[in-house]
Structure formats: C-alpha cells, structure tokens
Amino acid sequence: MTASFSEKKTLLFRRLKYVLRRPKAPTLPVPFDGPVVVVGSAPVSHKPIDFDETFRVITINGSQTVTRKWGVAVPDVTLMQYRQLDGTNTNAVEVRRVLFGERTGMLYALLWRKGLASLNEHLKAFDYRYDNVQIVNRYERIALVEKVCGLKVFELDAISKCSNGVIAVLFALLNGATAVIISGINPNSTGHVYNQENLSRLHVQMDSDILLALLRQGYPVYTADPEVAESVGLPLWEGKALAATARLIGPAGT
C-alpha cells in the first residue's frame, strides 16, 4: 500500500513539473539530412549494408568500441548516461575504460545533475573529449518521447522507461534522419560487447513497445541485426536503394 501511494505521489509530482516546465526535446544545431545509424553495446551487432560517409552515427555509452572497428574515429553524436560518468559498478568502469582518450562530436549527458563544470571534470578523468556538449534532464527526455511518438513516459522505474538506445532512435527521427538503422540494440539480449559479465538489460518491454509503435506510425526505423528483425519485428535494413523504394511505396504498399 505504501509503495502504491509513493508511486502515485511521484507520478503526480512529475506530471505537474512537466506541465509547469514545458520542456523542449533536445535538438541538434544542424539537423541530420540522411540515414542515421544508432549503435548500442549488445554483444552482437552488424555494420549496415551500404554504410559510408553519408551515414551519421550515434553511439550510446561505450559503443564507440564497435564503431571504431567500422573505421569511425569520431561519432557525430554520443548519448552518455550519468551513471557511466561516476559509477563504480562493472558496467560504468568498463565504459570509461573503452572510451579512454576518445572523442565525439556532440555529447549529450543524460540526467547529469551536478552541472557542466563537474561534468567536464569527470570526462577529463578518462580523457574523453567533445566538440559540443549538452546536459539533458528527465523532463527533456519525456518531451522527446512525447513529441515523436505521442506517449508520455514519466520514467517511474527502470521497467517503465525506455533505454538510452531507444531515446537515441527518437532523437534521430526528431532531428531529421531519413532512415534510422539500429545496430547492437536488442531488447531481448543480455551482456555488452565491451565486457564478459553478461549483465542483464532493463527496459525490455518498453523498448519493444516503442519501436513497434514507431513502425505503426510509419517511421523509417530498421535494424541491421537479423536476430533483432526476427525477435522484435523490425524490418531488416537491406540498403539505401531498397529503403528509398519502400518510402515511395509507403507502409501500406499503396
């Protein structure tokens, strides 16, 4: 009973704060103008067919260890969860290890509450650099989900919110991506490509629900990973030419 009351109280507080703040979803200074690859850290990932310099790249936390193998020295955008910056658990420590000395274009620090000066101190500790940086708070994340797919997700717990990978998909769509191809993002997988701990993943149902909702709404969302296409139901990316044909035909084949 106490937990139920506490959850209702938190939900009411967040709804009220969301209305009063009227937050804006995060946007790039210069929008995307082509396909965007969103790369996560699931143990299995594939470089998209036709991948070349016309694709923009978004990495999540430590997934630059994947894109580095693709020949991408600096991703266009990185979304980094606040726990990876100062956490002491295995995953956070491993993220900082694989990102040591790396750089990104636009860095979005998600849910960081200690201010820009402290953020830069933590980044300097593992020599991670950026061209531009922005802190994204919880209410800006909520605004992003609502603006793209019409859902208000108030993030009451890990199960009821979507992962940072799906946040990146929504971000890419909002910022002009002509197609979004996800790689290394599998709601049903466990583990991360940069360690052997086989850590479990949260957000499984919410991630699947949002990805499928995007498809129903006609958004051009694909996966480069055959096992994700089979298990989640996303269309498999088969190259720019076929994607362009699909857009011309339309989701209903009309």
Side-chain angles (χ1 to χ4, degrees):
M1 188 71 176
T2 304
S4 177
F5 174 76
S6 175
E7 288 173 0
K8 289 178 181 178
K9 181 179 175 182
T10 300
L11 178 59
L12 179 62
F13 173 78
R14 288 189 181 169
R15 283 183 181 276
L16 180 60
K17 202 168 181 179
Y18 184 64
V19 171
L20 293 175
R21 283 192 174 195
R22 301 175 66 184
K24 302 292 184 184
T27 55
L28 285 169
V30 179
F32 297 123
D33 58 359
V36 175
V37 187
V38 175
V39 185
S41 301
V44 178
S45 62
H46 300 80
K47 183 164 68 172
I49 294 172
D50 290 343
F51 181 79
D52 59 22
E53 69 280 354
T54 66
F55 286 71
R56 302 278 72 82
V57 176
I58 300 177
T59 57
I60 314 299
N61 295 324
S63 66
Q64 275 181 250
T65 190
V66 175
T67 57
R68 191 186 306 121
K69 296 174 183 176
W70 296 358
V72 178
V74 180
D76 298 277
V77 177
T78 295
L79 272 58
M80 196 174 300
Q81 223 269 355
Y82 75 99
R83 288 192 184 94
Q84 314 306 341
L85 294 161
D86 61 1
T88 57
N89 60 28
T90 297
N91 193 56
V93 171
E94 286 294 289
V95 166
R96 296 195 294 272
R97 179 184 66 81
V98 300
L99 291 182
F100 189 91
E102 298 289 348
R103 183 169 71 86
T104 190
M106 184 74 195
L107 173 63
Y108 289 95
L110 305 179
L111 308 183
W112 183 259
R113 296 181 178 180
K114 301 176 183 178
L116 188 57
S118 177
L119 173 62
N120 281 319
E121 287 178 8
H122 282 78
L123 292 169
K124 187 177 180 180
F126 60 104
D127 191 25
Y128 191 72
R129 291 153 289 162
Y130 56 78
D131 295 334
N132 295 287
V133 65
Q134 182 177 328
I135 296 171
V136 177
N137 65 38
R138 184 187 307 279
Y139 296 96
E140 290 164 334
R141 281 170 53 109
I142 295 171
L144 174 60
V145 177
E146 181 181 19
K147 190 169 182 65
V148 178
C149 63
L151 300 175
K152 285 187 175 133
V153 179
F154 285 99
E155 304 188 348
L156 297 182
D157 54 37
I159 295 173
S160 66
K161 67 180 180 181
C162 54
S163 69
N164 295 321
V166 170
I167 287 292
V169 171
L170 298 171
F171 173 84
L173 291 169
L174 179 65
N175 283 277
T178 57
V180 178
I181 307 98
I182 66 174
S183 179
I185 296 175
N186 184 349
N188 299 317
S189 74
T190 59
H192 298 81
V193 70
Y194 46 76
N195 66 55
Q196 303 301 314
E197 298 299 321
N198 201 35
L199 300 173
S200 62
R201 291 176 181 273
L202 305 172
H203 330 297
V204 172
Q205 190 61 50
M206 182 60 74
D207 277 5
S208 296
D209 288 350
I210 288 184
L211 290 172
L212 293 176
L214 292 173
L215 286 183
R216 288 194 299 270
Q217 293 175 41
Y219 284 107
V221 178
Y222 304 84
T223 178
D225 303 328
E227 60 275 20
V228 177
E230 183 176 348
S231 65
V232 178
L234 288 178
L236 186 64
W237 174 257
E238 297 181 306
K240 290 184 283 186
L242 289 176
T245 301
R247 286 197 297 274
L248 288 173
I249 294 174
T254 58

